[in-house]
Amino acid sequence: MGNMMPDRLAFDEDALFSGRLIDRGRPLKFTLDGHVYSAFRGDTLLSALLAAGVDTAGLFDDDPIGLTPSFFPLVRPVGNGETGCALPLDRTPATSDARYVTITQPDADIHKRAKNRNRGLKRLAQGVLRKRPTSLELTLNGNFSPEQIWSQCPVDEHVEADLIVVGAGVGGLSAARTAIENGLRVALIEQHSLVGGDARFFGAVEGEKRPDAFVHDLMLPLEDNPLLNIFFRTRAFHVENGGVTAHQVLQEGKTVRSRILSFSAAKIVLATGASEKLPLFAGNRLPGICGARDAFRLAANWGVWRGRDAAFCTASSVATQVALLAADMGVRIVKLADSRERPRSRYFEFAKAYGISLTTGTQVEQAFAAARNRVGVQLELAAAPGERLGDPIETDRLIVCGGWQADLSLWHVAGGQSEWDPQRAQLVRSNRLDQVELAGYGAGATTMSQCVESGKAAVLQLGRMAQGHVRGWRESNRHESADGPLPVAPLEAESTDCFLDGGFSLLQPMVRSSETGLKALLLKLKRSAPRAPRIARSSSLNDVGAKVLLGELPERYAGLYAQERCGFPDYLPEDTEMTAGTSDKNHHIESSMDPTKPPAFLSGRFGRRQTTVRLHCDAPAQLETGCPIFSGNEIQTSDRAIGVIYSCPPTGQGVVRALMTGNGAKAGRPVFVRNGTTMVKCDVRPTASASGKS
Amino acid sequence: MQQLDFAIVGTGLRAAMLAQELVRVHAKKVGLFLDRLVEHQISREINLGLAVSTRPETLRMMTEIEGDIVPSLTRIAGRHVLSRVHPVIVGVAPPMAQGLAYMYHYLKGMEGEIERLPAGDIKGHRREAIRVRGVRLVHDRLVWPALFDWLHQQGAVLQERTGMNINMRKDGSARIGAGADLFSAHRVVLADEGALLEHGPTEALPEIFQPVSCCAIETDPVAGLNDHLVLGPEKGFWARRQKNGHMKMSAAVPLEEMAGQIRAFLSPSIRPRLNGRRTYRSLRVRDGAPVSGRLAQGGMIGIAGFGHWGAFAAPALARWLCGSSSESEKSFFSRHDPRKDRRPVADIDGAVGEAT
């Protein structure tokens, strides 16, 4: 079994990276795209794939993109008649003998399996050589956010509550607990299969209990409480006044299916935590590169760790603890670098004790694919980007962390606004909503105690029971340096494989080449190959932050930009009424207009004395509304027209009406009507009213 | 306090091009009050060398001046900022469909490259549609950075519009506060509908203006559309398909009514996925004709109702503002004064009714 899961850490009961969610005594197998993978009970499809060494989602243009907990395709079960909505790899539990295929988008041209002509041969060779696949072989050009697909699925179940809490981290649990203490029915939505959020990862500060104890204490009054309804493996993707829509992965025995849940409640608390920023350098999404929190979750929950050694390049102290925990598990730390000049953290002291030296003021200049599936990393001085530090290093895994951004995606969907906070170098909320409130990191909390306070404050604020405000949140963690700014390497026009974020948007910087002449032309030609669009694509909040730091977007516009582009992508709301014209019915051109009267836009068209007349024509069937009238039968430009037809029956049977200059509208006078190159002779007849003047 | 000949207030390319013309051609001291966010926002306008109109004077004017901005635009931002497109104009409501028939015959008679599409051409729904060939399109996203740089280099004042305040004096000049800066402008021009709505005289705004809710969206690639640019003038709808299949659309309707616009003007079966959305308020000119003139005696100068050809009208507007117009241009702008009888200029988008 070990061979089938090369990237699984050995079990250590006392270690944090033990894989607490898996039962190593209960192995199983499942099939994805025809390949059989081994897993343990408790694995998700994603953790099992990563443990099996599948580290590549596919190709974005020609660049391989890593498979990570922040970026993965959707799958669909096969063989059991399941027609539910698509399942995400990260929340779908691995079950024995289940079979799945990765799915394409409805518009298959933007997300389809790579056109690999030798794919069958490759698979055969893999079978003969017993070689494991390392890629899902998808082409990734385009936008394929899971939320877009889920938003099209019908609702399976409606859930009513007094309060909806999105996120069962410390802030969310605190909000749920406060609401229940006030007698409210709470629906708690959590995307993972356990509570506590990232408390273990971010850890406790001085004076706080250990995260597990903290969460345990919060949960005590909630367990078996009839007022609380927890929905695990459920991801909220839409929020509006009075409701949340979410996608749930449901396991019933060996069967896994998805459901769309519609939650209704008068008040909503969003405690969705933070998203990890991706440092900007060429090759920042190559296979083998992973965010610090993703690496922590994979190792702590499922015992997954790629390779035998790792390098760390971060701007946040909490990422350093991942290095220490990995070292505990026998992973060799080849580099521990921090982009800050003189960072202060308890973890650095621990690192010294482990014999791991910290290099400060250092960031990644670029990463590249090295031999034997390893990652090459070139470091540079953070204070002098472009000034390289030694030769490239090679490692099985590069762990990066560019700091944190409050996850305000749902806040924006709900109609909330944000603005750029230069001190925190991230978007923060800038307004309040009557029915939706933030808790946890999104509300400004940075420690577990503050998250608890923010959860309480959010519920009290929504219930108008008190002013939900907690002071002094940011000063409390004085023993740790604040996160550094997002590391940004100098990007050249050739840096086609740099992305602004690690998620689904796949947006890239707008790199401007400094080259001129022939080289510039060659670069332009190279880049005019089918690159994915950079503009017409929904953005993540990290994309916006990166744009600000790259100077692509002025700080003062970041909030408005996020408001326009950072909701989860969705379809247009359906309207029930046709609104384009006055009606959607199939009108003929004059069906609802009085044919005896010219339209308003002909007012004064032929002077003050313009007159309506009837025309008697040789070939009325050749005429139509809008045809100009001339005094002679030679072809003339429209400027010379003395009148125009404003009513003309389509069959040619009936009265042809025209508007003419006062002088031209003399009864019995011959005139010529032009339709294209055809001239039709007509005689002027006075209108029935005879008044003529219109 | 900085002295300005003109304070140009706007929300889009027309205002910026007007400022550019006043600086480049007429050597005026100009302040452009426009939020630079426009460079990053979802486009709410499309700039075409095409007037959707039934009025010969408007169509003639458009034809005569359409090429005027080409030299300045290409010099400032490069030749790639302009391209030729073949927009399809669709009319659904009877007055609009009838108006398109007039426009078709007029342009046909002026040797324009125009064709009438069969009614069944638009996905089997009865629609009147014409296609105009070879219309110039400005790629505004490419223009903005170069245009801002150029204006800055030429010494034009560039200020954010949001938060500015305008105090008009009786003689038509104004004292303007923007951020920490103060300006004295000889004349104030509200160069588009957005500027008129937000900075026009709220109580004294002529009745021809009607506030409307608008939206602009960008979508994922949409399959099954042959036309790259579709205009539905009834609600100011436009939809442009980019090379990569993504769509940009805008209309003078709330977001919840946009699906109806798409069904009417593009296809009943299309339901695009949003990548971005923007909602905003603007003004509609009730009679569908251009507006050019003072909004009140001695007041601000308002420019509106130029539809998609506003940026192309900038050179003529600049000449008019500086008193160097040709007789025909002078007559055109004079006829479109918002305080005059508008019936003789009422156009294709105007209220349904009888000609007088």
Side-chain angles (χ1 to χ4, degrees), chain A residues 105-107 109-110 142-144 148-149 152 412-413 510 512 531-539 551-554 556-558 560-593 597-605 610 624-628 636-639 644-647 659 674-676 693-694, chain B residues 34-43 54-57 60 92-102 104-111 116 124-128 141 145 160 217-223 234-235 242 244 246-249 253 255-265 270-278 335 343-356:
Chain A
Q105 287 253 36
D107 39 358
D109 58 322
I110 60 168
N143 193 355
F144 69 107
Q148 274 190 341
I149 294 174
Q152 292 314 292
H412 281 123
V413 173
M510 293 193 290
R512 291 190 176 93
R531 299 294 301 178
R534 290 179 174 73
I535 298 296
R537 181 179 288 181
S538 57
S539 309
E552 291 180 14
L553 183 66
R556 62 184 181 278
Y557 297 145
L560 281 169
Y561 185 93
Q563 221 175 308
E564 285 186 5
R565 295 182 183 274
C566 287
F568 289 128
D570 201 354
Y571 283 78
L572 273 172
E574 275 293 325
D575 61 346
T576 52
E577 193 180 340
M578 174 55 67
T579 54
T582 51
S583 163
D584 188 34
K585 288 175 185 152
N586 296 340
H587 287 278
H588 182 261
I589 197 163
E590 280 117 10
S591 64
S592 69
M593 299 176 71
K597 293 172 182 173
F601 55 74
L602 289 178
S603 289
R605 165 72 178 83
Q610 67 181 14
E624 58 186 30
T625 303
C627 285
Q636 298 179 66
T637 61
S638 305
D639 278 356
V644 66
I645 293 177
Y646 68 83
S647 174
L659 188 67
R674 191 195 65 213
N675 188 353
K693 300 218 173 130
S694 60
Chain B
L34 183 147
D35 290 339
R36 291 192 65 167
L37 176 63
V38 70
E39 198 179 339
H40 309 280
Q41 278 185 301
I42 294 170
S43 297
T54 59
R55 291 283 173 182
E57 62 269 29
R60 199 183 311 124
V92 178
M96 179 57 67
Q98 197 179 34
L100 288 184
Y102 285 89
Y104 165 75
H105 282 287
Y106 182 86
L107 290 179
K108 194 82 181 165
M110 299 297 283
E111 299 179 350
R116 199 165 199 167
H125 276 238
R126 184 81 188 177
R127 306 281 189 270
E128 294 297 323
R141 203 172 283 284
E160 293 289 298
I217 60 172
E218 289 185 357
T219 78
D220 264 7
V222 174
E234 283 146 85
K235 292 284 174 83
Q242 297 170 287
N244 50 40
H246 291 248
M247 300 283 295
K248 291 180 174 189
M249 305 184 202
V253 296
L255 189 64
E256 51 270 24
E257 292 180 18
M258 193 61 168
Q261 298 294 302
I262 291 168
R263 274 205 302 272
F265 294 117
I270 286 179
R271 201 168 167 228
R273 289 189 299 216
L274 293 180
N275 276 328
R277 68 251 187 258
R278 176 184 177 195
R335 278 164 61 85
R343 283 176 295 183
V345 296
D347 208 333
I348 194 166
D349 194 28
V352 179
E354 187 181 351
T356 54

Side-chain angles (χ1 to χ4, degrees), chain A residues 302-326:
Chain A
W302 299 285
V304 173
W305 189 273
R306 186 190 198 255
R308 299 284 168 262
D309 59 32
F312 287 75
C313 295
T314 86
S316 176
S317 300
V318 285
T320 308
Q321 69 158 326
V322 183
L324 305 180
L325 292 166

Side-chain angles (χ1 to χ4, degrees), chain A residues 241-315:
Chain A
N241 276 348
V244 170
T245 315
H247 175 271
Q248 183 185 44
V249 176
L250 201 62
Q251 182 178 7
E252 290 162 337
K254 280 188 174 182
T255 306
V256 177
R257 64 191 178 93
S258 69
R259 297 195 304 166
I260 300 296
L261 304 178
S262 173
F263 296 87
S264 305
K267 307 289 179 187
I268 300 163
V269 172
L270 301 177
T272 44
S275 57
E276 189 171 356
K277 295 180 192 171
L278 178 68
L280 304 181
F281 55 86
N284 62 356
R285 289 187 65 171
L286 283 172
I289 298 178
C290 187
R293 184 176 59 182
D294 283 348
F296 180 93
R297 282 178 182 165
L298 285 170
N301 293 339
W302 299 285
V304 173
W305 189 273
R306 186 190 198 255
R308 299 284 168 262
D309 59 32
F312 287 75
C313 295
T314 86

Side-chain angles (χ1 to χ4, degrees), chain A residues 52-131:
Chain A
V54 180
D55 59 12
T56 308
L59 297 178
F60 181 82
D61 289 344
D62 295 328
D63 301 318
I65 301 291
L67 180 71
T68 70
S70 301
F71 185 76
F72 46 81
L74 300 181
V75 297
R76 190 180 295 286
V78 290
N80 61 357
E82 176 62 51
T83 56
C85 216
L87 293 158
L89 283 183
D90 70 330
R91 284 185 286 125
T92 304
T95 52
S96 191
D97 300 327
R99 289 191 296 149
Y100 298 95
V101 287
T102 50
I103 65 160
T104 58
Q105 287 253 36
D107 39 358
D109 58 322
I110 60 168
H111 175 210
K112 60 193 172 189
R113 190 156 300 285
K115 286 180 186 169
N116 187 344
R117 289 178 188 165
N118 300 320
R119 194 160 173 264
L121 198 63
K122 194 174 170 184
R123 183 169 288 188
L124 184 67
Q126 280 173 348
V128 171
L129 299 171
R130 293 183 175 277
K131 196 175 173 186

